[in-house]
Amino acid sequence: MISFILSVLVLILGYYVYGSFLERVFGADKSAATPANRLADGVDFVVLPNWKVFLIQFLNIAGLGPIFGAIAGAMYGPAAFLWIVLGSIFAGAVHDYFSGMMSLRHDGKSISEVVGIYMGDSAKQIMRVFTVLLLIFVGTVFLVGPAKIIDGMTDGYLTMWGWVSIILVYYLLSTLLPIDKFISKLYPIFGIAMLLMAVGLLIALFTGGYHIPEITGSTLRNMTSNPDKTPLFPMLFVTIACGAISGFHSTQSPLMARCMGNETSGKMIFSGTMITEGVVALVWAAVSMTFFGSVGGLNEAMIANNNNAAWAANEISLNMLGPVGGILALLGIVAAPITSGDTAFRSARLIIADTFNVNQKTLVKRLLISIPLFVVAFGLTQMDFGIIWRYFAWSNQTLATIVLWTITIYLSNLNKNYWISLLPAVFMTMVCSSYIFIAPEGFQLAHGLSYALAAAITIAATASFIALRYRKQRAALAN
């Protein structure tokens, strides 16, 4: 229990101390005119109250990540607590704050456009394709996942495909309608429900006599049932993404950068939501380790149920929260991913619109971009859900890595403290490289060889940045 309490306290302290430090490094300007004020269009560029922007951003980035990812990550044991805390503060908050604020400074541009500004046109074109594909994966995952959960809750009342159809109609509406007419009305309600669910579980933890494993020398190890097939590094750092660092967040931040009335709101909206998501992930990791008796009990239960995190989340909610659990589970476990899926499609629409300079004021133009996205997503629902989820997980962390390198170049160009993003960029490069070499959906190479190849890629990426910085410094001196 002590390790868990300290983890929560460190996360909160990290927001106030490190979050303020990040804000000073960036140089948020209270008097600067934001895109929502300068480019107001009544559809995507609309000034919204800070509390609404916070809840929308939180629900946008949360999805299934801090629930499903935390449950799967808890199978590794208390090491998950350390990654959630350190990842959220020193990687996730840096990634989310700067990606959001850089978008804000560049007229609310999509992350692919921001990457292009600092890494060149080739990187921009690759990022446009990569990001849209990731967002379609996200939309598909958050289309099938919730439909499966609702189908299970309703005992096959409408079949999974019936729920898929209903969710798809909702996605179409939320993608097309002005942000202040639909999303800003529903999201705060769902966001509050998800937070209440986490608070309810937290209270149940403290009052139900549960024993949360402590971080000790004996527990700080890989506690999965088959450590050889699921090495803690890099698997844990990809399994828990949205509760620590997630590239998907950078695709959502521009949506809110277009709705902010003041630059100084960025700390609360971007860093604050990341830290809040970290707290939610901590709660779910803790209840997962305790509800089934132990970390070993969690592993056994997950294996017996085909590693179905949705089943585990439903069991935990209904049993720990009592009669209210069903309602909160429906709103928190189902609404959260749905409300991330719809903004994934909305983000994809905006990226394509930015790419081809298509004005989005008219409904017809929004439809022309959106319909093909939904057709592709529906086609992907015919694939095995597990395969889609795994590719989403890796591509998600790869995007986060690219964004961290972009932030590093941005800070270096301005002669600001680039170490705050360079260190997590190097770490995540090693994580993503080794994962694709080791993972079943990757090259399935021996661990030693995989780590060596990943180290070579990481060194090459770091050397490229150092060389780029050196060339720019020489050019500056020459001028």
Side-chain angles (χ1 to χ4, degrees):
M1 186 71 79
I2 294 174
S3 298
F4 172 72
I5 294 172
L6 286 177
S7 295
V8 174
L9 291 177
V10 171
L11 270 180
I12 295 171
L13 186 65
Y15 166 72
Y16 285 105
V17 176
Y18 201 63
S20 297
F21 172 68
L22 296 179
E23 186 177 48
R24 287 196 299 273
V25 170
F26 179 80
D29 184 358
K30 188 175 183 178
S31 63
T34 63
N37 289 304
R38 292 184 289 101
L39 306 171
D41 64 359
V43 178
D44 298 307
F45 292 88
V46 179
V47 175
L48 296 175
N50 284 339
W51 69 271
K52 274 194 175 183
V53 179
F54 175 90
L55 286 172
I56 294 171
Q57 175 71 358
F58 171 67
L59 212 52
N60 283 354
I61 67 175
L64 292 170
I67 301 175
F68 285 16
I71 292 171
M75 295 169 71
Y76 287 86
F81 291 156
L82 281 182
W83 170 231
I84 291 170
V85 173
L86 298 178
S88 293
I89 296 172
F90 297 109
V94 173
H95 171 277
D96 286 19
Y97 180 75
F98 280 96
S99 62
M101 296 303 287
M102 287 165 68
S103 173
L104 190 73
R105 286 277 174 92
H106 290 288
D107 296 336
K109 288 187 182 299
S110 305
I111 191 60
S112 54
E113 307 304 300
V114 174
V115 169
I117 292 171
Y118 296 98
M119 297 187 75
D121 285 339
S122 296
K124 178 170 68 176
Q125 300 304 331
I126 293 171
M127 278 292 290
R128 281 172 170 172
V129 175
F130 183 81
T131 306
V132 170
L133 287 175
L134 171 64
L135 290 169
I136 293 175
F137 273 133
V138 171
T140 304
V141 165
F142 292 163
L143 173 63
V144 178
K148 283 186 174 182
I149 297 171
I150 300 174
D151 186 43
M153 287 179 172
T154 56
D155 294 322
Y157 172 74
L158 199 60
T159 77
M160 189 194 81
W161 294 110
W163 291 114
V164 164
S165 301
I166 291 173
I167 295 171
L168 204 56
V169 171
Y170 166 82
Y171 278 2
L172 186 62
L173 292 173
S174 60
T175 302
L176 296 174
L177 295 177
I179 197 165
D180 62 331
K181 305 300 182 188
F182 196 72
I183 287 176
S184 72
K185 301 289 193 262
L186 290 176
Y187 275 40
I189 298 171
F190 294 145
I192 291 171
M194 188 173 184
L195 290 174
L196 285 176
M197 179 175 60
V199 170
L201 290 171
L202 189 61
I203 293 172
L205 270 177
F206 285 109
T207 60
Y210 292 99
H211 172 71
I212 304 174
E214 301 290 351
I215 299 173
T216 65
S218 61
T219 62
L220 202 58
R221 60 183 174 83
N222 189 338
M223 299 179 72
T224 57
S225 298
N226 195 337
D228 291 334
K229 287 190 175 180
T230 56
L232 191 146
F233 187 94
M235 297 301 184
L236 174 63
F237 305 96
V238 174
T239 301
I240 300 180
C242 289
I245 179 172
S246 167
F248 174 63
H249 294 187
S250 67
T251 68
Q252 301 304 288
S253 295
L255 295 179
M256 295 301 96
R258 302 181 185 207
C259 297
M260 291 167 54
N262 195 300
E263 279 195 1
T264 55
S265 304
K267 176 187 170 185
M268 178 186 78
I269 291 166
F270 300 123
S271 293
T273 51
M274 177 65 248
I275 297 301
T276 303
E277 187 184 49
V279 173
V280 171
L282 270 178
V283 172
W284 275 98
V287 298
S288 300
M289 292 181 204
T290 58
F291 177 76
F292 296 98
S294 64
V295 176
L298 168 64
N299 276 274
E300 290 173 8
M302 288 290 283
I303 291 171
N305 289 275
N306 299 314
N307 289 312
N308 187 347
W311 167 83
N314 199 33
E315 285 291 306
I316 290 169
S317 298
L318 292 175
N319 285 281
M320 291 186 71
L321 299 177
V324 181
I327 298 173
L328 289 176
L330 183 65
L331 290 175
I333 301 175
V334 176
I338 289 176
T339 49
S340 288
D342 60 10
T343 49
F345 286 117
R346 192 179 186 96
S347 298
R349 169 176 68 80
L350 292 174
I351 289 172
I352 294 172
D354 286 347
T355 300
F356 297 102
N357 294 315
V358 180
N359 188 288
Q360 294 292 280
K361 284 188 177 181
T362 63
L363 179 61
V364 172
K365 290 183 177 179
R366 299 200 293 273
L367 271 171
L368 287 174
I369 295 175
S370 301
I371 295 299
L373 293 175
F374 288 115
V375 170
V376 173
F378 186 78
L380 286 174
T381 61
Q382 309 305 306
M383 290 178 59
D384 179 77
F385 180 77
I387 294 174
I388 296 174
W389 178 266
R390 289 196 297 271
Y391 278 112
F392 153 66
W394 177 78
S395 57
N396 181 44
Q397 297 303 68
T398 301
L399 175 59
T401 304
I402 295 170
V403 172
L404 283 170
W405 281 113
T406 303
I407 295 167
T408 304
I409 294 171
Y410 165 79
L411 292 173
S412 175
N413 289 350
L414 296 177
N415 291 317
K416 293 188 175 184
N417 186 349
Y418 60 84
W419 288 95
I420 58 177
S421 55
L422 175 62
L423 294 179
V426 169
F427 179 77
M428 290 306 297
T429 301
M430 186 68 186
V431 166
C432 292
S433 300
S434 55
Y435 182 90
I436 200 63
F437 288 129
I438 291 174
E441 60 273 16
F443 295 100
Q444 303 180 48
L445 301 179
H447 293 180
L449 177 60
S450 298
Y451 293 139
L453 291 172
I457 291 172
T458 303
I459 292 170
T462 307
S464 297
F465 165 72
I466 294 172
L468 175 64
R469 179 171 168 77
Y470 177 72
R471 286 197 299 271
K472 288 189 175 180
Q473 285 179 329
R474 289 200 60 178
L477 289 173
N479 293 329

